[in-house]
């Protein structure tokens, strides 16, 4: 399905400028942008991604990762093909580096996406006998379904929708309509993004978002450009816009050997976060494993992740978590004031939660009364 795209500038030449992301692609007739999802058809920019997700799955919300947002709940996760960056370490390059015309897609409207959540939030058993649950929708070929199918769960705890896996910016119009439909029906929405989006589109989206995880890939501007094909500055601006808009924010930083594991650069990033009001923002430090164009690199030593977490805390980040580790994972939430164990997790799963909700709506440590930021209930 081709749908007229938002954020475009046209003129008599037949060329179109896309103003959705900082690349500002100028497209000749018939050409698509860097993201491969937006195409100039007869002088008008169209999106190829609308209503065409290639992945729909249920994940624990902790897997996004979001640790301070509806802990222990499931989240319906969707993606279309395409991305506006070219990260050399991309985990999902088989779908992020192709256009939606080359992926196997579901065809599903925004309202139908919200219905899927509501059915599952009510504990609806959508078992159709083969583990796939796209009720009433066209199913993909099971032989080729490697990911994206919605696994059956008899007991469901799905409370929200995540725009994730690839880069949601490139299916902006679809995401916006899903988020609007979700808001009308009381379903929360989350964006898991590289943050490479222009100010106007992001501000228009924010009222319909409840939470975001932004991938802060590398704090060295030159290495960021080399690693991803995009500039660092717009990502930092997006962090500020999300925070100022009241969207619950968490940040992920992947430490890649030789790219983003320099401790001086890492400390600079922590200092920037603290100076700009992000000390309370959960920071997820993630271990790299060889992937895509960085196959020949070794995985990040676990000691590097542990050291980085310690440095981040020493500099003032209050909620630091480590991911993809075999040993010594730091995935529990600890009260930064008194050290009380607030939330216990094991991998992506919630074990216990001790946070108390006050009558005034604030969530606090039951031991010392410290306010613990997040959307906990
Ligand atoms: S969203 Fe796509 S077409 Fe638009 S500027 Fe970004 S990369 Fe180019």
């Amino acid at each position: 399905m081709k749908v007229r795209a938002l954020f475009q500038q046209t003129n008599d030449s037949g060329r179109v400028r896309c103003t959705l992301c900082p690349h500002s692609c100028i497209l000749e007739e018939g050409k698509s942008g860097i993201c491969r999802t937006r195409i100039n058809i007869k002088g008008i920019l169209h999106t190829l991604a609308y209503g065409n997700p290639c992945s729909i799955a249920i994940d624990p919300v902790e897997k996004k990762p979001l640790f301070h947002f509806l802990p222990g709940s499931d989240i319906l996760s969707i993606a279309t093909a395409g991305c506006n960056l070219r990260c050399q370490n991309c985990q999902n390059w088989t779908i992020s580096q192709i256009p939606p015309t080359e992926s196997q897609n579901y065809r599903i409207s925004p309202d139908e996406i919200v219905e899927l959540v509501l059915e599952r939030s009510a504990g609806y058993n959508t078992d159709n006998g083969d583990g796939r649950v796209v009720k009433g929708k066209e199913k993909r070929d099971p032989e080729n379904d490697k990911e994206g199918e919605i696994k059956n769960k008899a007991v469901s705890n799905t409370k929200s929708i995540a725009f994730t896996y690839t880069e949601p910016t490139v299916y902006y119009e679809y995401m916006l309509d899903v988020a609007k439909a979700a808001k009308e029906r009381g379903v929360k929405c989350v964006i898991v993004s590289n943050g490479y989006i222009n100010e106007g589109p992001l501000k228009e989206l924010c009222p319909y978002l409840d939470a975001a995880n932004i991938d802060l890939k590398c704090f060295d501007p030159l290495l960021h450009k080399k690693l991803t094909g995009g500039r660092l500055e717009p990502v930092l601006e997006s962090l500020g816009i999300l925070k100022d808009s009241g969207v619950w924010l968490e940040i992920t930083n992947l430490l890649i050997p030789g790219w983003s594991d320099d401790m001086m650069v890492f400390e600079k990033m922590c200092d920037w976060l603290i100076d700009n009001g992000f000390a309370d923002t959960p920071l997820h430090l993630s271990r790299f494993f060889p992937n895509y164009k960085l196959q020949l690199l070794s995985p990040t030593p676990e000691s590097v992740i542990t050291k980085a977490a310690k440095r981040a805390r020493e500099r003032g980040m209050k909620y630091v978590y480590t991911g993809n580790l075999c040993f010594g994972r730091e995935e529990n939430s600890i009260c930064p004031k008194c050290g009380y164990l607030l939330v216990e997790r094991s991998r992506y799963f919630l074990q216990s939660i001790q946070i108390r909700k006050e009558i005034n709506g604030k969530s606090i440590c039951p031991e010392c009364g410290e306010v613990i930021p997040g959307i906990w209930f």
Side-chain angles (χ1 to χ4, degrees), residues 107-131:
R107 287 194 286 278
I108 184 162
S109 71
D111 284 334
E112 288 169 323
I113 290 284
V114 177
E115 274 302 323
L116 282 176
V117 176
L118 292 172
E119 286 169 356
R120 298 176 68 75
S121 68
Y124 182 64
N125 183 357
T126 45
D127 185 4
N128 63 5
D130 66 357

mmCIF file of all heavy atoms in Angstrom, residues 107-131:
data_model
loop_
_atom_site.group_PDB
_atom_site.id
_atom_site.type_symbol
_atom_site.label_atom_id
_atom_site.label_comp_id
_atom_site.label_asym_id
_atom_site.label_seq_id
_atom_site.Cartn_x
_atom_site.Cartn_y
_atom_site.Cartn_z
ATOM 1 N N ARG A 107 -0.589 -7.586 6.406
ATOM 2 C CA ARG A 107 -1.319 -6.370 6.022
ATOM 3 C C ARG A 107 -2.314 -6.121 7.132
ATOM 4 O O ARG A 107 -3.275 -6.879 7.290
ATOM 5 C CB ARG A 107 -2.003 -6.556 4.674
ATOM 6 C CG ARG A 107 -1.022 -6.560 3.519
ATOM 7 C CD ARG A 107 -1.726 -6.402 2.198
ATOM 8 N NE ARG A 107 -2.419 -7.610 1.791
ATOM 9 C CZ ARG A 107 -1.822 -8.634 1.191
ATOM 10 N NH1 ARG A 107 -0.541 -8.590 0.931
ATOM 11 N NH2 ARG A 107 -2.520 -9.702 0.861
ATOM 12 N N ILE A 108 -2.079 -5.057 7.889
ATOM 13 C CA ILE A 108 -2.879 -4.892 9.102
ATOM 14 C C ILE A 108 -3.022 -3.397 9.430
ATOM 15 O O ILE A 108 -2.048 -2.646 9.411
ATOM 16 C CB ILE A 108 -2.245 -5.708 10.269
ATOM 17 C CG1 ILE A 108 -3.087 -5.649 11.528
ATOM 18 C CG2 ILE A 108 -0.805 -5.343 10.541
ATOM 19 C CD1 ILE A 108 -2.752 -6.758 12.527
ATOM 20 N N SER A 109 -4.244 -3.000 9.697
ATOM 21 C CA SER A 109 -4.530 -1.575 9.899
ATOM 22 C C SER A 109 -4.186 -1.166 11.331
ATOM 23 O O SER A 109 -4.060 -2.019 12.221
ATOM 24 C CB SER A 109 -6.015 -1.307 9.654
ATOM 25 O OG SER A 109 -6.766 -1.865 10.721
ATOM 26 N N PRO A 110 -4.067 0.125 11.584
ATOM 27 C CA PRO A 110 -3.823 0.589 12.962
ATOM 28 C C PRO A 110 -4.859 0.072 13.953
ATOM 29 O O PRO A 110 -4.514 -0.383 15.047
ATOM 30 C CB PRO A 110 -3.880 2.114 12.820
ATOM 31 C CG PRO A 110 -3.388 2.359 11.433
ATOM 32 C CD PRO A 110 -3.958 1.234 10.613
ATOM 33 N N ASP A 111 -6.142 0.123 13.582
ATOM 34 C CA ASP A 111 -7.182 -0.360 14.509
ATOM 35 C C ASP A 111 -7.008 -1.845 14.812
ATOM 36 O O ASP A 111 -7.237 -2.294 15.933
ATOM 37 C CB ASP A 111 -8.574 -0.113 13.916
ATOM 38 C CG ASP A 111 -8.973 1.354 14.019
ATOM 39 O OD1 ASP A 111 -8.456 2.035 14.923
ATOM 40 O OD2 ASP A 111 -9.773 1.816 13.194
ATOM 41 N N GLU A 112 -6.615 -2.594 13.804
ATOM 42 C CA GLU A 112 -6.437 -4.040 14.012
ATOM 43 C C GLU A 112 -5.249 -4.324 14.931
ATOM 44 O O GLU A 112 -5.268 -5.279 15.713
ATOM 45 C CB GLU A 112 -6.274 -4.740 12.669
ATOM 46 C CG GLU A 112 -7.584 -4.789 11.878
ATOM 47 C CD GLU A 112 -7.381 -5.247 10.449
ATOM 48 O OE1 GLU A 112 -6.347 -4.890 9.836
ATOM 49 O OE2 GLU A 112 -8.262 -5.955 9.934
ATOM 50 N N ILE A 113 -4.211 -3.500 14.840
ATOM 51 C CA ILE A 113 -3.068 -3.659 15.760
ATOM 52 C C ILE A 113 -3.539 -3.454 17.204
ATOM 53 O O ILE A 113 -3.214 -4.233 18.108
ATOM 54 C CB ILE A 113 -1.956 -2.628 15.420
ATOM 55 C CG1 ILE A 113 -1.280 -2.968 14.094
ATOM 56 C CG2 ILE A 113 -0.933 -2.531 16.547
ATOM 57 C CD1 ILE A 113 -0.301 -4.104 14.130
ATOM 58 N N VAL A 114 -4.324 -2.408 17.413
ATOM 59 C CA VAL A 114 -4.811 -2.122 18.770
ATOM 60 C C VAL A 114 -5.711 -3.262 19.248
ATOM 61 O O VAL A 114 -5.640 -3.674 20.417
ATOM 62 C CB VAL A 114 -5.547 -0.765 18.809
ATOM 63 C CG1 VAL A 114 -6.115 -0.497 20.196
ATOM 64 C CG2 VAL A 114 -4.598 0.365 18.389
ATOM 65 N N GLU A 115 -6.517 -3.794 18.340
ATOM 66 C CA GLU A 115 -7.386 -4.931 18.707
ATOM 67 C C GLU A 115 -6.567 -6.107 19.217
ATOM 68 O O GLU A 115 -6.953 -6.779 20.174
ATOM 69 C CB GLU A 115 -8.208 -5.388 17.489
ATOM 70 C CG GLU A 115 -9.494 -4.628 17.285
ATOM 71 C CD GLU A 115 -10.441 -4.686 18.473
ATOM 72 O OE1 GLU A 115 -10.520 -5.740 19.131
ATOM 73 O OE2 GLU A 115 -11.084 -3.668 18.761
ATOM 74 N N LEU A 116 -5.440 -6.356 18.556
ATOM 75 C CA LEU A 116 -4.586 -7.474 18.987
ATOM 76 C C LEU A 116 -4.163 -7.304 20.440
ATOM 77 O O LEU A 116 -4.116 -8.258 21.207
ATOM 78 C CB LEU A 116 -3.337 -7.563 18.104
ATOM 79 C CG LEU A 116 -3.487 -8.185 16.722
ATOM 80 C CD1 LEU A 116 -2.174 -8.101 15.962
ATOM 81 C CD2 LEU A 116 -3.933 -9.643 16.828
ATOM 82 N N VAL A 117 -3.845 -6.074 20.803
ATOM 83 C CA VAL A 117 -3.422 -5.812 22.193
ATOM 84 C C VAL A 117 -4.596 -6.007 23.142
ATOM 85 O O VAL A 117 -4.461 -6.668 24.184
ATOM 86 C CB VAL A 117 -2.859 -4.381 22.330
ATOM 87 C CG1 VAL A 117 -2.522 -4.077 23.788
ATOM 88 C CG2 VAL A 117 -1.628 -4.213 21.463
ATOM 89 N N LEU A 118 -5.735 -5.466 22.767
ATOM 90 C CA LEU A 118 -6.885 -5.539 23.674
ATOM 91 C C LEU A 118 -7.329 -6.988 23.881
ATOM 92 O O LEU A 118 -7.667 -7.386 24.985
ATOM 93 C CB LEU A 118 -8.039 -4.690 23.123
ATOM 94 C CG LEU A 118 -7.766 -3.185 23.146
ATOM 95 C CD1 LEU A 118 -8.868 -2.434 22.418
ATOM 96 C CD2 LEU A 118 -7.623 -2.666 24.565
ATOM 97 N N GLU A 119 -7.276 -7.772 22.813
ATOM 98 C CA GLU A 119 -7.627 -9.188 22.956
ATOM 99 C C GLU A 119 -6.697 -9.868 23.949
ATOM 100 O O GLU A 119 -7.109 -10.648 24.785
ATOM 101 C CB GLU A 119 -7.484 -9.901 21.601
ATOM 102 C CG GLU A 119 -8.583 -9.587 20.614
ATOM 103 C CD GLU A 119 -8.237 -10.113 19.222
ATOM 104 O OE1 GLU A 119 -7.126 -10.652 19.032
ATOM 105 O OE2 GLU A 119 -9.074 -9.966 18.330
ATOM 106 N N ARG A 120 -5.421 -9.544 23.818
ATOM 107 C CA ARG A 120 -4.436 -10.220 24.659
ATOM 108 C C ARG A 120 -4.364 -9.636 26.062
ATOM 109 O O ARG A 120 -3.972 -10.325 26.991
ATOM 110 C CB ARG A 120 -3.080 -10.204 23.970
ATOM 111 C CG ARG A 120 -3.133 -10.962 22.630
ATOM 112 C CD ARG A 120 -1.855 -10.881 21.893
ATOM 113 N NE ARG A 120 -0.796 -11.609 22.563
ATOM 114 C CZ ARG A 120 -0.684 -12.922 22.566
ATOM 115 N NH1 ARG A 120 -1.580 -13.659 21.945
ATOM 116 N NH2 ARG A 120 0.299 -13.503 23.199
ATOM 117 N N SER A 121 -4.738 -8.401 26.213
ATOM 118 C CA SER A 121 -4.744 -7.830 27.569
ATOM 119 C C SER A 121 -5.875 -8.438 28.380
ATOM 120 O O SER A 121 -5.844 -8.459 29.604
ATOM 121 C CB SER A 121 -4.897 -6.308 27.520
ATOM 122 O OG SER A 121 -6.177 -5.974 27.062
ATOM 123 N N ALA A 122 -6.883 -8.969 27.661
ATOM 124 C CA ALA A 122 -8.008 -9.588 28.356
ATOM 125 C C ALA A 122 -7.774 -11.073 28.579
ATOM 126 O O ALA A 122 -8.679 -11.803 28.968
ATOM 127 C CB ALA A 122 -9.275 -9.391 27.539
ATOM 128 N N GLY A 123 -6.555 -11.555 28.324
ATOM 129 C CA GLY A 123 -6.253 -12.959 28.529
ATOM 130 C C GLY A 123 -6.858 -13.844 27.457
ATOM 131 O O GLY A 123 -7.024 -15.033 27.635
ATOM 132 N N TYR A 124 -7.170 -13.254 26.315
ATOM 133 C CA TYR A 124 -7.810 -13.992 25.226
ATOM 134 C C TYR A 124 -6.838 -15.004 24.637
ATOM 135 O O TYR A 124 -5.700 -14.685 24.315
ATOM 136 C CB TYR A 124 -8.231 -12.978 24.162
ATOM 137 C CG TYR A 124 -8.943 -13.555 22.974
ATOM 138 C CD1 TYR A 124 -10.176 -14.173 23.114
ATOM 139 C CD2 TYR A 124 -8.384 -13.461 21.712
ATOM 140 C CE1 TYR A 124 -10.831 -14.690 22.014
ATOM 141 C CE2 TYR A 124 -9.034 -13.962 20.611
ATOM 142 C CZ TYR A 124 -10.255 -14.578 20.769
ATOM 143 O OH TYR A 124 -10.895 -15.075 19.678
ATOM 144 N N ASN A 125 -7.279 -16.238 24.519
ATOM 145 C CA ASN A 125 -6.428 -17.272 23.961
ATOM 146 C C ASN A 125 -6.591 -17.307 22.449
ATOM 147 O O ASN A 125 -7.627 -17.714 21.936
ATOM 148 C CB ASN A 125 -6.794 -18.626 24.564
ATOM 149 C CG ASN A 125 -5.867 -19.705 24.040
ATOM 150 O OD1 ASN A 125 -5.018 -19.446 23.201
ATOM 151 N ND2 ASN A 125 -6.025 -20.906 24.553
ATOM 152 N N THR A 126 -5.573 -16.870 21.755
ATOM 153 C CA THR A 126 -5.681 -16.755 20.305
ATOM 154 C C THR A 126 -5.062 -17.947 19.586
ATOM 155 O O THR A 126 -4.687 -17.849 18.432
ATOM 156 C CB THR A 126 -5.021 -15.457 19.838
ATOM 157 O OG1 THR A 126 -3.791 -15.332 20.510
ATOM 158 C CG2 THR A 126 -5.881 -14.264 20.121
ATOM 159 N N ASP A 127 -5.006 -19.065 20.286
ATOM 160 C CA ASP A 127 -4.391 -20.259 19.696
ATOM 161 C C ASP A 127 -5.154 -20.698 18.442
ATOM 162 O O ASP A 127 -6.346 -20.955 18.484
ATOM 163 C CB ASP A 127 -4.437 -21.384 20.731
ATOM 164 C CG ASP A 127 -3.700 -22.622 20.239
ATOM 165 O OD1 ASP A 127 -3.119 -22.556 19.145
ATOM 166 O OD2 ASP A 127 -3.721 -23.617 20.970
ATOM 167 N N ASN A 128 -4.439 -20.776 17.326
ATOM 168 C CA ASN A 128 -5.074 -21.285 16.114
ATOM 169 C C ASN A 128 -4.479 -22.627 15.731
ATOM 170 O O ASN A 128 -4.625 -23.077 14.606
ATOM 171 C CB ASN A 128 -4.954 -20.273 14.973
ATOM 172 C CG ASN A 128 -3.500 -20.031 14.600
ATOM 173 O OD1 ASN A 128 -2.608 -20.684 15.128
ATOM 174 N ND2 ASN A 128 -3.266 -19.100 13.711
ATOM 175 N N GLY A 129 -3.794 -23.241 16.669
ATOM 176 C CA GLY A 129 -3.307 -24.590 16.444
ATOM 177 C C GLY A 129 -1.867 -24.680 15.992
ATOM 178 O O GLY A 129 -1.251 -25.722 16.079
ATOM 179 N N ASP A 130 -1.300 -23.582 15.497
ATOM 180 C CA ASP A 130 0.094 -23.670 15.068
ATOM 181 C C ASP A 130 0.961 -22.591 15.709
ATOM 182 O O ASP A 130 2.070 -22.326 15.284
ATOM 183 C CB ASP A 130 0.196 -23.585 13.540
ATOM 184 C CG ASP A 130 -0.219 -22.228 13.006
ATOM 185 O OD1 ASP A 130 -0.630 -21.381 13.820
ATOM 186 O OD2 ASP A 130 -0.127 -22.014 11.786
ATOM 187 N N GLY A 131 0.443 -21.974 16.744
ATOM 188 C CA GLY A 131 1.257 -21.010 17.479
ATOM 189 C C GLY A 131 1.212 -19.610 16.922
ATOM 190 O O GLY A 131 1.839 -18.710 17.452
#
